[in-house]
């Protein structure tokens, strides 16, 4: 009988999370889909041919995270892959002008939420035949850019949390990876600019930005690599992008 593989994905209701769910389903992973929008998760469940289980929670809510994971039915507990994808940017403002609520939202989801989910899922990964944690960072965690200080700081935290986790889990041979995308055309900028779709389009204009599917392909490559191989840290950029803010835009 074929071995069952289970992946838990946070932020599965859109963007990179959604596309990675589709890509892992193609590789026969059964999916625990986590998010805040149940109708989107249902739509995703209806799209894939593998078995799915939905968990509706906000990664910022510590209690909800632990309750959801601990409440998983037995048959969903042997998780192999945790994709920590949930997170967002809120605002693009200089420190002197920025809104503290935006800062809280980014630190609470991108940093603390990712840590809570990791801590909650870890006992299940440890009991599985194999485990792999993939954290979604950003080029913003590698270099700061103007008006992005707190978002960049949150993604730098993802980078260092990932590195520390890899050290801690080395004795157990649980693989730990981070993927750091540059410009990916998703709802990311619409959320950052609080629904301003015109402004959001300018971010990607002429950049031939990555599609969520491109990032999903890379994640599948990391996860499906032989168990003796860890792709520890992967930066993925559109060819037109050379750094967080050097972009050769087509005019
Ligand atoms: C998304 C990449 O450069 O738009 O994390 O901040 S960037």
């Amino acid at each position: 009988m074929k071995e069952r593989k289970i992946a838990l994905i946070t932020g599965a209701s859109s963007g990179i999370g959604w596309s990675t769910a589709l890509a892992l389903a193609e590789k026969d992973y059964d999916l625990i889909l986590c998010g805040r929008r149940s109708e989107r998760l249902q739509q995703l469940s209806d799209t894939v041919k593998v078995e799915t289980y939905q968990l509706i929670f906000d990664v910022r809510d510590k209690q909800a995270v632990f309750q959801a994971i601990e409440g998983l039915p037995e048959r969903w507990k042997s998780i192999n892959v945790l994709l920590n994808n949930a997170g967002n940017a809120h605002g693009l403002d200089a420190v002197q002008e920025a809104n503290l609520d935006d800062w809280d939202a980014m630190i609470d989801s991108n940093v603390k939420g990712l840590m809570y989910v990791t801590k909650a899922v870890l006992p299940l990964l440890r009991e599985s035949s194999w485990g792999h944690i993939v954290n979604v960072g950003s080029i913003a965690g590698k270099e700061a850019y103007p008006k992005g200080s707190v978002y960049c700081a949150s993604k730098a935290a993802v980078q260092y949390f990932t590195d520390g986790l890899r050290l801690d889990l080395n004795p157990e041979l649980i693989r730990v990876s981070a993927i750091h995308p540059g410009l990916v055309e998703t709802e990311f900028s619409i959320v950052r600019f609080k629904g301003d779709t015109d402004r959001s389009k300018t971010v990607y204009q002429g950049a031939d930005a990555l599609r969520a599917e491109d990032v999903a392909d890379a994640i599948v490559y990391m996860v499906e690599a032989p168990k003796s191989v860890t792709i520890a840290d992967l930066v993925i950029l559109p060819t037109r992008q050379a750094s967080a803010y050097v972009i050769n835009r087509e005019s």
Side-chain angles (χ1 to χ4, degrees):
M1 209 176 71
K2 219 169 34 169
E3 197 206 345
R4 189 174 185 224
K5 304 181 283 188
I6 299 180
L8 182 147
I9 301 174
T10 66
S13 53
S14 66
I16 293 170
W18 177 285
S19 291
T20 308
L22 295 181
L24 287 174
E26 286 296 312
K27 296 284 179 192
D28 282 329
Y29 283 78
D30 290 332
L31 302 169
I32 302 170
L33 303 171
C34 309
R36 289 172 298 171
R37 293 177 280 181
S38 60
E39 67 293 349
R40 293 280 296 162
L41 295 184
Q42 186 56 49
Q43 209 183 327
L44 182 52
S45 289
D46 293 342
T47 310
V48 294
K49 293 199 178 72
V50 294
E51 285 186 50
T52 62
Y53 192 85
Q54 295 170 36
L55 290 179
I56 312 296
F57 63 86
D58 186 334
V59 296
R60 292 176 293 186
D61 184 338
K62 195 190 319 185
Q63 209 185 343
V65 168
F66 282 85
Q67 261 172 10
I69 307 295
E70 284 163 11
L72 277 169
E74 273 319 303
R75 64 187 300 275
W76 283 98
K77 281 193 168 163
S78 62
I79 296 171
N80 303 105
V81 174
L82 164 61
L83 177 65
N84 271 315
N85 162 72
N88 259 316
H90 297 277
L92 184 68
D93 302 293
V95 170
Q96 51 279 35
E97 274 115 38
N99 175 323
L100 283 179
D101 291 338
D102 284 343
W103 287 7
D104 282 341
M106 289 187 276
I107 298 295
D108 288 350
S109 57
N110 303 3
V111 183
K112 291 165 70 182
L114 180 144
M115 291 172 179
Y116 298 153
V117 174
T118 304
K119 184 86 169 135
V121 174
L122 201 45
L124 305 182
L125 286 172
R126 295 174 80 190
E127 278 173 27
S128 296
S129 52
W130 62 277
H132 191 168
I133 298 170
V134 181
N135 293 332
V136 178
S138 168
I139 184 72
K142 300 280 186 184
E143 42 176 337
Y145 54 80
K147 303 187 175 181
S149 59
V150 174
Y151 178 69
C152 295
S154 76
K155 290 299 187 174
V158 171
Q159 160 91 70
Y160 277 89
F161 180 66
T162 306
D163 291 345
L165 191 60
R166 187 179 314 108
L167 295 167
D168 291 348
L169 294 179
N170 179 254
E172 305 187 34
L173 301 182
I174 291 177
R175 294 187 294 175
V176 181
S177 307
I179 181 163
H180 306 278
L183 289 175
V184 190
E185 192 154 6
T186 59
E187 289 173 11
F188 175 84
S189 290
I190 300 176
V191 174
R192 167 171 260 178
F193 299 133
K194 305 180 196 307
D196 184 340
T197 46
D198 290 340
R199 188 171 175 205
S200 137
K201 278 193 198 123
T202 64
V203 173
Y204 307 108
Q205 212 142 31
D208 204 1
L210 298 170
R211 300 161 309 141
E213 295 92 313
D214 299 320
V215 181
D217 283 348
I219 293 170
V220 169
Y221 177 77
M222 295 161 93
V223 165
E224 287 283 281
K227 302 292 180 291
S228 55
V229 175
T230 296
I231 314 290
D233 203 64
L234 192 153
V235 177
I236 176 168
L237 302 172
T239 302
R240 286 185 170 275
Q241 181 172 24
S243 81
Y245 51 91
V246 175
I247 300 160
N248 173 359
R249 293 185 193 270
E250 192 177 17
S251 44

